[in-house]
Amino acid sequence: MPFFSFIRDNLRWLFAGLLLTFFSSFGQTYFISLVAGDLRAEFNLSHGEFGGLYMAATLLSALSLTFVGKVVDSQPLAVVSGGVVVALALFSAGMAGVSSVAMLFVVLYGLRLFGQGMMTHVAMTAMGRWYDAQRGRAVSVASLGIQCGEASLPLVLVTLSGIVGWRGAWWIGVGVLLLVALPALMMLLKVERIPRGTIHTDERAAPQRQWTRAEVLRDPAYWVMSAGTLAPPFIGTTIFFHQVYLVELRGWSMELFASAFMAMSAMTITCALLAGYLVDRVTALRLLPVFLVPLGLACVLLGAVTHPAAAFGFMALLGISYGFSSTLFGALWPEIYGSRNLGSIRSITVAMMVFASALGPGLTGYLIDAGVAYSTQVYAMALYCLVAALALTLTSRHVRRRQARGGVASGAASG
């Protein structure tokens, strides 16, 4: 079958991308939050104080990413990947030995920047640059590392913490990064993939203009599309961060809500692979208007239905949007703006997504304290998805017409 032939022929580079997204778990919220209780007890922090510290560190990492992320355009990916893994190991060691609130802030900043930020940024930039005709499939396979991490690493961390303590568990993580992740990536990436593949769709037949980051930032279409990318990290992180409040409000159990994550993981993996196939068949631009629809329906369901089945329905619909978005936005930017400056362009988008993931929990927490009904907030998220989907529909048509007129001419005009 063509898909399995593609995997076989590109296993070295696809596995490198998957490892990068897998080990980004060390800087992901779901992983760090597993030791949040230990950290709060260690430094006598309230929920609000730790949340504020985490939000500030994440926002600073998002700002830094706009500068650090550009290195992908000027240095070999093997060198960048090695540096990012070493930096992530260094800050993981800092977590294992953290001794003050100030040091905790620095550690959180580094984990967020080099984990959630740079590891995923390097992986998706590599897939977008290396692949053209099979870009969607490449991105979908590489992004599965995130789901593999979500499915396995929390249990590993909890188990190790029970045996050697949470600090000991992080020291083991340092060893894994340096003794497993680093040599594996260096071996896989020692051969740089030369992009190849023939595009057969008319929309991609013309020579593509290579936009600079400054030109992209002056393109109104970029900002509309970026607004769409903010919805999944904002909504997903917000719901998960306040999951205890949601469960209490609905009268559910934590075990019920935790079991619903399996529905999300199954749908995310399935839809990521499906999106990879569809992107290669019809382009990312044509899929752009639809990926927020399931997320909007998920929010409506969560706000309107209190039956326990709503948890599984919400997670399944969220997984559909997560799966499509993880693939779509690895393929979208090189499809529109070219791959020459992809690192610096994607660094802005990833930074905004990190910013959204930091802003959501804090904003929603403030509204909860202010007495705004949770259902009202969730309905507002659904409305945002609907408006964004309509805007993305119009923007997709505009960009496709612009490409059909000629990328160089229209790009120069919009710049």
Short mmCIF file of all heavy atoms in Angstrom, two decimals, residues 201-264:
data_model
loop_
_atom_site.label_atom_id
_atom_site.label_comp_id
_atom_site.label_asym_id
_atom_site.label_seq_id
_atom_site.Cartn_x
_atom_site.Cartn_y
_atom_site.Cartn_z
N THR A 201 -1.33 18.39 -8.13
CA THR A 201 -2.49 19.27 -8.10
C THR A 201 -2.17 20.58 -8.80
O THR A 201 -1.08 21.11 -8.70
CB THR A 201 -2.92 19.56 -6.66
OG1 THR A 201 -1.81 20.15 -5.98
CG2 THR A 201 -3.35 18.32 -5.93
N ASP A 202 -3.15 21.10 -9.51
CA ASP A 202 -2.93 22.33 -10.27
C ASP A 202 -2.53 23.49 -9.37
O ASP A 202 -1.75 24.35 -9.75
CB ASP A 202 -4.20 22.69 -11.04
CG ASP A 202 -4.50 21.70 -12.16
OD1 ASP A 202 -3.56 20.98 -12.56
OD2 ASP A 202 -5.67 21.61 -12.59
N GLU A 203 -3.09 23.51 -8.14
CA GLU A 203 -2.84 24.64 -7.26
C GLU A 203 -1.39 24.71 -6.85
O GLU A 203 -0.90 25.76 -6.46
CB GLU A 203 -3.74 24.56 -6.02
CG GLU A 203 -5.20 24.76 -6.32
CD GLU A 203 -6.03 24.73 -5.05
OE1 GLU A 203 -5.88 25.67 -4.24
OE2 GLU A 203 -6.81 23.82 -4.87
N ARG A 204 -0.65 23.60 -6.91
CA ARG A 204 0.74 23.61 -6.46
C ARG A 204 1.71 23.53 -7.63
O ARG A 204 2.90 23.36 -7.45
CB ARG A 204 0.98 22.40 -5.53
CG ARG A 204 0.14 22.39 -4.28
CD ARG A 204 0.45 21.14 -3.50
NE ARG A 204 -0.38 20.97 -2.34
CZ ARG A 204 -0.30 19.92 -1.53
NH1 ARG A 204 0.56 18.97 -1.76
NH2 ARG A 204 -1.09 19.82 -0.49
N ALA A 205 1.17 23.61 -8.83
CA ALA A 205 2.04 23.37 -9.99
C ALA A 205 2.98 24.54 -10.24
O ALA A 205 4.10 24.35 -10.71
CB ALA A 205 1.17 23.11 -11.22
N ALA A 206 2.55 25.76 -9.99
CA ALA A 206 3.37 26.92 -10.28
C ALA A 206 4.51 27.03 -9.28
O ALA A 206 4.40 26.60 -8.15
CB ALA A 206 2.51 28.18 -10.22
N PRO A 207 5.66 27.61 -9.71
CA PRO A 207 6.76 27.84 -8.79
C PRO A 207 6.28 28.66 -7.58
O PRO A 207 5.56 29.65 -7.72
CB PRO A 207 7.76 28.63 -9.63
CG PRO A 207 7.44 28.25 -11.05
CD PRO A 207 5.96 28.06 -11.07
N GLN A 208 6.68 28.23 -6.41
CA GLN A 208 6.16 28.84 -5.19
C GLN A 208 7.05 29.98 -4.72
O GLN A 208 8.27 29.86 -4.68
CB GLN A 208 6.04 27.80 -4.09
CG GLN A 208 5.36 28.32 -2.84
CD GLN A 208 5.20 27.22 -1.80
OE1 GLN A 208 5.95 26.25 -1.80
NE2 GLN A 208 4.23 27.36 -0.93
N ARG A 209 6.43 31.05 -4.35
CA ARG A 209 7.17 32.16 -3.78
C ARG A 209 7.60 31.83 -2.36
O ARG A 209 6.85 31.24 -1.60
CB ARG A 209 6.30 33.41 -3.79
CG ARG A 209 7.06 34.62 -3.24
CD ARG A 209 6.15 35.79 -3.00
NE ARG A 209 6.92 36.90 -2.50
CZ ARG A 209 6.48 37.83 -1.69
NH1 ARG A 209 5.24 37.78 -1.27
NH2 ARG A 209 7.25 38.82 -1.30
N GLN A 210 8.82 32.22 -2.02
CA GLN A 210 9.34 31.99 -0.67
C GLN A 210 9.22 33.29 0.12
O GLN A 210 10.01 34.21 -0.04
CB GLN A 210 10.80 31.53 -0.74
CG GLN A 210 11.02 30.27 -1.58
CD GLN A 210 10.33 29.06 -0.98
OE1 GLN A 210 10.35 28.83 0.22
NE2 GLN A 210 9.70 28.26 -1.85
N TRP A 211 8.21 33.36 0.99
CA TRP A 211 7.95 34.57 1.77
C TRP A 211 8.97 34.72 2.90
O TRP A 211 9.42 33.75 3.49
CB TRP A 211 6.56 34.50 2.38
CG TRP A 211 5.41 34.49 1.42
CD1 TRP A 211 5.14 33.57 0.46
CD2 TRP A 211 4.34 35.44 1.35
NE1 TRP A 211 3.98 33.87 -0.21
CE2 TRP A 211 3.46 35.03 0.32
CE3 TRP A 211 4.04 36.59 2.07
CZ2 TRP A 211 2.31 35.73 0.00
CZ3 TRP A 211 2.89 37.30 1.75
CH2 TRP A 211 2.05 36.88 0.72
N THR A 212 9.30 35.95 3.23
CA THR A 212 10.06 36.23 4.44
C THR A 212 9.09 36.40 5.61
O THR A 212 7.89 36.58 5.41
CB THR A 212 10.89 37.51 4.30
OG1 THR A 212 10.00 38.65 4.19
CG2 THR A 212 11.78 37.45 3.05
N ARG A 213 9.63 36.35 6.83
CA ARG A 213 8.74 36.50 7.98
C ARG A 213 8.10 37.89 8.00
O ARG A 213 6.91 38.02 8.33
CB ARG A 213 9.50 36.26 9.29
CG ARG A 213 8.57 36.33 10.49
CD ARG A 213 9.16 35.68 11.72
NE ARG A 213 10.13 36.50 12.40
CZ ARG A 213 10.61 36.22 13.62
NH1 ARG A 213 10.22 35.14 14.26
NH2 ARG A 213 11.51 37.00 14.18
N ALA A 214 8.84 38.91 7.64
CA ALA A 214 8.29 40.27 7.63
C ALA A 214 7.12 40.37 6.65
O ALA A 214 6.11 41.02 6.94
CB ALA A 214 9.37 41.28 7.27
N GLU A 215 7.25 39.73 5.48
CA GLU A 215 6.16 39.76 4.50
C GLU A 215 4.94 39.00 5.01
O GLU A 215 3.80 39.43 4.82
CB GLU A 215 6.65 39.15 3.19
CG GLU A 215 7.68 40.01 2.47
CD GLU A 215 8.36 39.28 1.33
OE1 GLU A 215 8.39 38.04 1.35
OE2 GLU A 215 8.88 39.96 0.43
N VAL A 216 5.18 37.86 5.68
CA VAL A 216 4.07 37.09 6.22
C VAL A 216 3.32 37.89 7.27
O VAL A 216 2.08 37.90 7.30
CB VAL A 216 4.58 35.76 6.82
CG1 VAL A 216 3.48 35.05 7.61
CG2 VAL A 216 5.10 34.85 5.71
N LEU A 217 4.04 38.58 8.12
CA LEU A 217 3.40 39.35 9.19
C LEU A 217 2.59 40.53 8.64
O LEU A 217 1.73 41.07 9.34
CB LEU A 217 4.45 39.86 10.18
CG LEU A 217 5.18 38.77 10.98
CD1 LEU A 217 6.21 39.38 11.90
CD2 LEU A 217 4.18 37.94 11.78
N ARG A 218 2.85 40.93 7.40
CA ARG A 218 2.05 41.99 6.78
C ARG A 218 0.89 41.45 5.96
O ARG A 218 0.13 42.22 5.36
CB ARG A 218 2.95 42.86 5.88
CG ARG A 218 3.97 43.69 6.64
CD ARG A 218 4.56 44.80 5.76
NE ARG A 218 5.30 44.26 4.62
CZ ARG A 218 6.59 43.98 4.64
NH1 ARG A 218 7.29 44.17 5.74
NH2 ARG A 218 7.19 43.51 3.55
N ASP A 219 0.75 40.13 5.92
CA ASP A 219 -0.33 39.50 5.16
C ASP A 219 -1.55 39.31 6.06
O ASP A 219 -1.51 38.52 7.02
CB ASP A 219 0.15 38.14 4.64
CG ASP A 219 -0.91 37.43 3.81
OD1 ASP A 219 -1.85 38.11 3.35
OD2 ASP A 219 -0.80 36.21 3.63
N PRO A 220 -2.66 40.01 5.82
CA PRO A 220 -3.85 39.87 6.67
C PRO A 220 -4.35 38.43 6.78
O PRO A 220 -4.86 38.02 7.83
CB PRO A 220 -4.89 40.77 5.99
CG PRO A 220 -4.09 41.75 5.21
CD PRO A 220 -2.87 41.00 4.75
N ALA A 221 -4.20 37.66 5.71
CA ALA A 221 -4.67 36.27 5.73
C ALA A 221 -3.96 35.47 6.81
O ALA A 221 -4.55 34.57 7.43
CB ALA A 221 -4.46 35.62 4.37
N TYR A 222 -2.69 35.77 7.04
CA TYR A 222 -1.93 35.03 8.06
C TYR A 222 -2.56 35.21 9.44
O TYR A 222 -2.66 34.25 10.21
CB TYR A 222 -0.48 35.52 8.08
CG TYR A 222 0.31 34.98 9.26
CD1 TYR A 222 0.78 33.67 9.26
CD2 TYR A 222 0.56 35.78 10.37
CE1 TYR A 222 1.48 33.17 10.33
CE2 TYR A 222 1.27 35.29 11.45
CZ TYR A 222 1.73 33.99 11.43
OH TYR A 222 2.41 33.50 12.52
N TRP A 223 -2.98 36.41 9.75
CA TRP A 223 -3.53 36.68 11.08
C TRP A 223 -4.89 36.03 11.27
O TRP A 223 -5.22 35.58 12.36
CB TRP A 223 -3.60 38.19 11.32
CG TRP A 223 -2.23 38.79 11.37
CD1 TRP A 223 -1.60 39.50 10.41
CD2 TRP A 223 -1.29 38.65 12.45
NE1 TRP A 223 -0.33 39.85 10.81
CE2 TRP A 223 -0.12 39.35 12.06
CE3 TRP A 223 -1.33 38.03 13.69
CZ2 TRP A 223 1.00 39.42 12.88
CZ3 TRP A 223 -0.21 38.10 14.51
CH2 TRP A 223 0.93 38.79 14.10
N VAL A 224 -5.68 35.97 10.21
CA VAL A 224 -6.97 35.27 10.31
C VAL A 224 -6.74 33.78 10.54
O VAL A 224 -7.37 33.16 11.40
CB VAL A 224 -7.81 35.49 9.04
CG1 VAL A 224 -9.12 34.70 9.12
CG2 VAL A 224 -8.12 36.97 8.85
N MET A 225 -5.81 33.20 9.77
CA MET A 225 -5.53 31.77 9.95
C MET A 225 -4.92 31.49 11.31
O MET A 225 -5.22 30.47 11.93
CB MET A 225 -4.60 31.29 8.83
CG MET A 225 -5.27 31.28 7.45
SD MET A 225 -4.21 30.63 6.12
CE MET A 225 -3.03 31.96 5.95
N SER A 226 -4.09 32.39 11.79
CA SER A 226 -3.49 32.21 13.11
C SER A 226 -4.55 32.25 14.20
O SER A 226 -4.45 31.53 15.20
CB SER A 226 -2.44 33.29 13.37
OG SER A 226 -1.34 33.15 12.49
N ALA A 227 -5.56 33.09 14.02
CA ALA A 227 -6.65 33.14 15.01
C ALA A 227 -7.34 31.78 15.13
O ALA A 227 -7.78 31.39 16.21
CB ALA A 227 -7.67 34.21 14.62
N GLY A 228 -7.41 31.06 14.02
CA GLY A 228 -7.98 29.72 14.07
C GLY A 228 -7.09 28.75 14.82
O GLY A 228 -7.58 27.87 15.54
N THR A 229 -5.78 28.90 14.70
CA THR A 229 -4.86 27.97 15.37
C THR A 229 -4.92 28.13 16.89
O THR A 229 -4.53 27.21 17.61
CB THR A 229 -3.40 28.20 14.91
OG1 THR A 229 -2.92 29.45 15.43
CG2 THR A 229 -3.29 28.19 13.41
N LEU A 230 -5.39 29.28 17.37
CA LEU A 230 -5.40 29.52 18.81
C LEU A 230 -6.52 28.79 19.53
O LEU A 230 -6.44 28.57 20.74
CB LEU A 230 -5.51 31.02 19.09
CG LEU A 230 -4.41 31.91 18.50
CD1 LEU A 230 -4.63 33.36 18.93
CD2 LEU A 230 -3.04 31.44 18.94
N ALA A 231 -7.58 28.41 18.81
CA ALA A 231 -8.74 27.82 19.47
C ALA A 231 -8.44 26.49 20.15
O ALA A 231 -8.77 26.31 21.33
CB ALA A 231 -9.89 27.69 18.48
N PRO A 232 -7.84 25.50 19.48
CA PRO A 232 -7.60 24.22 20.15
C PRO A 232 -6.72 24.31 21.40
O PRO A 232 -7.11 23.77 22.44
CB PRO A 232 -6.96 23.36 19.06
CG PRO A 232 -7.48 23.94 17.78
CD PRO A 232 -7.54 25.42 18.03
N PRO A 233 -5.55 25.00 21.35
CA PRO A 233 -4.75 25.06 22.59
C PRO A 233 -5.43 25.86 23.68
O PRO A 233 -5.32 25.51 24.87
CB PRO A 233 -3.44 25.72 22.14
CG PRO A 233 -3.78 26.44 20.89
CD PRO A 233 -4.84 25.63 20.22
N PHE A 234 -6.15 26.93 23.33
CA PHE A 234 -6.83 27.73 24.33
C PHE A 234 -7.94 26.93 25.01
O PHE A 234 -8.01 26.85 26.24
CB PHE A 234 -7.42 28.99 23.67
CG PHE A 234 -8.13 29.90 24.63
CD1 PHE A 234 -7.46 30.93 25.26
CD2 PHE A 234 -9.49 29.73 24.91
CE1 PHE A 234 -8.12 31.77 26.15
CE2 PHE A 234 -10.15 30.56 25.80
CZ PHE A 234 -9.46 31.58 26.43
N ILE A 235 -8.80 26.32 24.21
CA ILE A 235 -9.96 25.62 24.76
C ILE A 235 -9.54 24.32 25.45
O ILE A 235 -9.96 24.04 26.58
CB ILE A 235 -10.98 25.33 23.65
CG1 ILE A 235 -11.56 26.66 23.13
CG2 ILE A 235 -12.10 24.43 24.17
CD1 ILE A 235 -12.46 26.51 21.92
N GLY A 236 -8.69 23.52 24.79
CA GLY A 236 -8.28 22.26 25.37
C GLY A 236 -7.55 22.43 26.69
O GLY A 236 -7.88 21.77 27.69
N THR A 237 -6.56 23.32 26.71
CA THR A 237 -5.79 23.53 27.94
C THR A 237 -6.67 24.10 29.05
O THR A 237 -6.54 23.72 30.21
CB THR A 237 -4.61 24.48 27.67
OG1 THR A 237 -3.81 23.96 26.61
CG2 THR A 237 -3.75 24.64 28.92
N THR A 238 -7.59 24.98 28.70
CA THR A 238 -8.49 25.58 29.69
C THR A 238 -9.37 24.53 30.34
O THR A 238 -9.50 24.47 31.57
CB THR A 238 -9.37 26.66 29.03
OG1 THR A 238 -8.53 27.70 28.53
CG2 THR A 238 -10.34 27.25 30.04
N ILE A 239 -9.98 23.68 29.53
CA ILE A 239 -10.85 22.63 30.06
C ILE A 239 -10.07 21.67 30.95
O ILE A 239 -10.51 21.31 32.05
CB ILE A 239 -11.54 21.85 28.92
CG1 ILE A 239 -12.41 22.79 28.07
CG2 ILE A 239 -12.37 20.70 29.48
CD1 ILE A 239 -13.55 23.43 28.81
N PHE A 240 -8.89 21.26 30.50
CA PHE A 240 -8.10 20.29 31.27
C PHE A 240 -7.56 20.91 32.56
O PHE A 240 -7.50 20.24 33.60
CB PHE A 240 -6.95 19.75 30.43
CG PHE A 240 -7.41 18.99 29.22
CD1 PHE A 240 -6.62 18.93 28.08
CD2 PHE A 240 -8.64 18.35 29.19
CE1 PHE A 240 -7.04 18.23 26.96
CE2 PHE A 240 -9.07 17.65 28.07
CZ PHE A 240 -8.26 17.60 26.95
N PHE A 241 -7.17 22.18 32.50
CA PHE A 241 -6.62 22.84 33.69
C PHE A 241 -7.67 22.94 34.79
O PHE A 241 -7.36 22.81 35.98
CB PHE A 241 -6.10 24.23 33.31
CG PHE A 241 -5.24 24.86 34.36
CD1 PHE A 241 -3.87 24.60 34.41
CD2 PHE A 241 -5.77 25.72 35.31
CE1 PHE A 241 -3.07 25.19 35.38
CE2 PHE A 241 -4.98 26.31 36.28
CZ PHE A 241 -3.62 26.05 36.31
N HIS A 242 -8.93 23.15 34.39
CA HIS A 242 -10.02 23.30 35.37
C HIS A 242 -10.91 22.06 35.41
O HIS A 242 -12.10 22.16 35.73
CB HIS A 242 -10.86 24.53 35.02
CG HIS A 242 -10.13 25.83 35.15
ND1 HIS A 242 -9.74 26.37 36.36
CD2 HIS A 242 -9.69 26.71 34.20
CE1 HIS A 242 -9.11 27.52 36.16
NE2 HIS A 242 -9.07 27.74 34.86
N GLN A 243 -10.33 20.90 35.12
CA GLN A 243 -11.14 19.69 35.05
C GLN A 243 -11.74 19.32 36.40
O GLN A 243 -12.86 18.77 36.46
CB GLN A 243 -10.32 18.53 34.50
CG GLN A 243 -9.09 18.16 35.28
CD GLN A 243 -8.29 17.06 34.59
OE1 GLN A 243 -8.68 15.92 34.57
NE2 GLN A 243 -7.17 17.44 34.00
N VAL A 244 -11.05 19.60 37.49
CA VAL A 244 -11.61 19.28 38.81
C VAL A 244 -12.87 20.11 39.05
O VAL A 244 -13.90 19.59 39.54
CB VAL A 244 -10.57 19.54 39.91
CG1 VAL A 244 -11.20 19.35 41.29
CG2 VAL A 244 -9.38 18.61 39.74
N TYR A 245 -12.83 21.37 38.69
CA TYR A 245 -14.00 22.25 38.85
C TYR A 245 -15.15 21.75 37.98
O TYR A 245 -16.31 21.70 38.42
CB TYR A 245 -13.62 23.67 38.47
CG TYR A 245 -14.77 24.66 38.48
CD1 TYR A 245 -15.30 25.15 39.68
CD2 TYR A 245 -15.36 25.09 37.29
CE1 TYR A 245 -16.35 26.04 39.69
CE2 TYR A 245 -16.42 25.98 37.28
CZ TYR A 245 -16.90 26.45 38.49
OH TYR A 245 -17.96 27.35 38.49
N LEU A 246 -14.84 21.35 36.75
CA LEU A 246 -15.87 20.85 35.84
C LEU A 246 -16.52 19.58 36.39
O LEU A 246 -17.75 19.44 36.37
CB LEU A 246 -15.25 20.58 34.46
CG LEU A 246 -16.13 19.82 33.46
CD1 LEU A 246 -17.36 20.64 33.09
CD2 LEU A 246 -15.32 19.46 32.21
N VAL A 247 -15.70 18.67 36.86
CA VAL A 247 -16.22 17.40 37.38
C VAL A 247 -17.12 17.64 38.59
O VAL A 247 -18.20 17.03 38.71
CB VAL A 247 -15.04 16.46 37.74
CG1 VAL A 247 -15.51 15.29 38.60
CG2 VAL A 247 -14.37 15.95 36.47
N GLU A 248 -16.71 18.52 39.48
CA GLU A 248 -17.54 18.84 40.65
C GLU A 248 -18.84 19.50 40.22
O GLU A 248 -19.91 19.22 40.78
CB GLU A 248 -16.76 19.75 41.60
CG GLU A 248 -15.56 19.06 42.26
CD GLU A 248 -14.73 20.03 43.08
OE1 GLU A 248 -14.99 21.27 42.99
OE2 GLU A 248 -13.83 19.58 43.81
N LEU A 249 -18.76 20.37 39.24
CA LEU A 249 -19.94 21.10 38.77
C LEU A 249 -20.96 20.15 38.15
O LEU A 249 -22.18 20.32 38.33
CB LEU A 249 -19.50 22.16 37.76
CG LEU A 249 -20.49 23.28 37.40
CD1 LEU A 249 -20.75 24.16 38.61
CD2 LEU A 249 -19.92 24.12 36.25
N ARG A 250 -20.48 19.16 37.43
CA ARG A 250 -21.37 18.24 36.73
C ARG A 250 -21.77 17.04 37.59
O ARG A 250 -22.63 16.26 37.20
CB ARG A 250 -20.70 17.74 35.45
CG ARG A 250 -20.51 18.82 34.38
CD ARG A 250 -21.87 19.19 33.78
NE ARG A 250 -21.73 20.14 32.69
CZ ARG A 250 -21.88 21.46 32.83
NH1 ARG A 250 -22.17 21.97 34.02
NH2 ARG A 250 -21.73 22.27 31.79
N GLY A 251 -21.13 16.87 38.73
CA GLY A 251 -21.43 15.72 39.56
C GLY A 251 -20.85 14.43 39.02
O GLY A 251 -21.34 13.33 39.34
N TRP A 252 -19.80 14.53 38.20
CA TRP A 252 -19.14 13.35 37.68
C TRP A 252 -18.03 12.91 38.64
O TRP A 252 -17.78 13.57 39.65
CB TRP A 252 -18.53 13.63 36.30
CG TRP A 252 -19.51 14.08 35.27
CD1 TRP A 252 -20.86 13.86 35.26
CD2 TRP A 252 -19.24 14.84 34.08
NE1 TRP A 252 -21.45 14.42 34.15
CE2 TRP A 252 -20.47 15.03 33.39
CE3 TRP A 252 -18.09 15.37 33.50
CZ2 TRP A 252 -20.57 15.71 32.20
CZ3 TRP A 252 -18.17 16.05 32.30
CH2 TRP A 252 -19.41 16.23 31.66
N SER A 253 -17.37 11.83 38.31
CA SER A 253 -16.21 11.39 39.08
C SER A 253 -14.95 11.65 38.27
O SER A 253 -14.99 11.69 37.04
CB SER A 253 -16.31 9.90 39.42
OG SER A 253 -16.20 9.11 38.24
N MET A 254 -13.81 11.80 38.96
CA MET A 254 -12.55 12.00 38.25
C MET A 254 -12.20 10.77 37.42
O MET A 254 -11.59 10.88 36.35
CB MET A 254 -11.43 12.31 39.24
CG MET A 254 -11.46 13.73 39.78
SD MET A 254 -11.37 15.01 38.49
CE MET A 254 -9.80 14.63 37.72
N GLU A 255 -12.56 9.58 37.93
CA GLU A 255 -12.28 8.35 37.19
C GLU A 255 -13.04 8.34 35.86
O GLU A 255 -12.48 7.92 34.83
CB GLU A 255 -12.69 7.13 38.03
CG GLU A 255 -11.80 6.88 39.24
CD GLU A 255 -12.13 7.81 40.41
OE1 GLU A 255 -13.15 8.52 40.34
OE2 GLU A 255 -11.34 7.83 41.38
N LEU A 256 -14.28 8.83 35.87
CA LEU A 256 -15.06 8.90 34.64
C LEU A 256 -14.40 9.84 33.64
O LEU A 256 -14.21 9.49 32.46
CB LEU A 256 -16.48 9.39 34.94
CG LEU A 256 -17.34 9.71 33.71
CD1 LEU A 256 -17.92 8.44 33.12
CD2 LEU A 256 -18.44 10.70 34.04
N PHE A 257 -14.03 11.02 34.10
CA PHE A 257 -13.45 12.01 33.19
C PHE A 257 -12.10 11.53 32.68
O PHE A 257 -11.76 11.71 31.50
CB PHE A 257 -13.29 13.35 33.90
CG PHE A 257 -13.07 14.51 32.96
CD1 PHE A 257 -14.10 15.03 32.21
CD2 PHE A 257 -11.80 15.08 32.83
CE1 PHE A 257 -13.89 16.09 31.33
CE2 PHE A 257 -11.58 16.13 31.97
CZ PHE A 257 -12.63 16.64 31.22
N ALA A 258 -11.30 10.89 33.55
CA ALA A 258 -10.00 10.39 33.12
C ALA A 258 -10.15 9.30 32.07
O ALA A 258 -9.37 9.23 31.11
CB ALA A 258 -9.22 9.86 34.32
N SER A 259 -11.16 8.45 32.23
CA SER A 259 -11.36 7.38 31.25
C SER A 259 -11.78 7.92 29.89
O SER A 259 -11.54 7.29 28.85
CB SER A 259 -12.43 6.39 31.75
OG SER A 259 -13.69 7.03 31.88
N ALA A 260 -12.38 9.13 29.87
CA ALA A 260 -12.79 9.73 28.60
C ALA A 260 -11.60 10.15 27.76
O ALA A 260 -11.74 10.37 26.55
CB ALA A 260 -13.71 10.92 28.87
N PHE A 261 -10.42 10.26 28.38
CA PHE A 261 -9.22 10.63 27.61
C PHE A 261 -8.90 9.57 26.56
O PHE A 261 -8.27 9.87 25.54
CB PHE A 261 -8.03 10.81 28.54
CG PHE A 261 -7.93 12.19 29.13
CD1 PHE A 261 -8.64 12.52 30.27
CD2 PHE A 261 -7.15 13.17 28.53
CE1 PHE A 261 -8.56 13.79 30.82
CE2 PHE A 261 -7.06 14.44 29.07
CZ PHE A 261 -7.78 14.76 30.21
N MET A 262 -9.31 8.33 26.81
CA MET A 262 -9.06 7.28 25.83
C MET A 262 -9.83 7.57 24.53
O MET A 262 -9.32 7.30 23.44
CB MET A 262 -9.47 5.93 26.40
CG MET A 262 -8.57 5.43 27.52
SD MET A 262 -8.96 3.74 28.05
CE MET A 262 -10.59 3.99 28.76
N ALA A 263 -11.03 8.12 24.67
CA ALA A 263 -11.81 8.48 23.48
C ALA A 263 -11.11 9.59 22.70
O ALA A 263 -11.05 9.56 21.46
CB ALA A 263 -13.22 8.92 23.88
N MET A 264 -10.56 10.55 23.43
CA MET A 264 -9.85 11.64 22.77
C MET A 264 -8.61 11.12 22.05
O MET A 264 -8.35 11.48 20.89
CB MET A 264 -9.45 12.71 23.79
CG MET A 264 -8.78 13.93 23.16
SD MET A 264 -8.06 15.08 24.34
CE MET A 264 -6.57 14.18 24.79
#
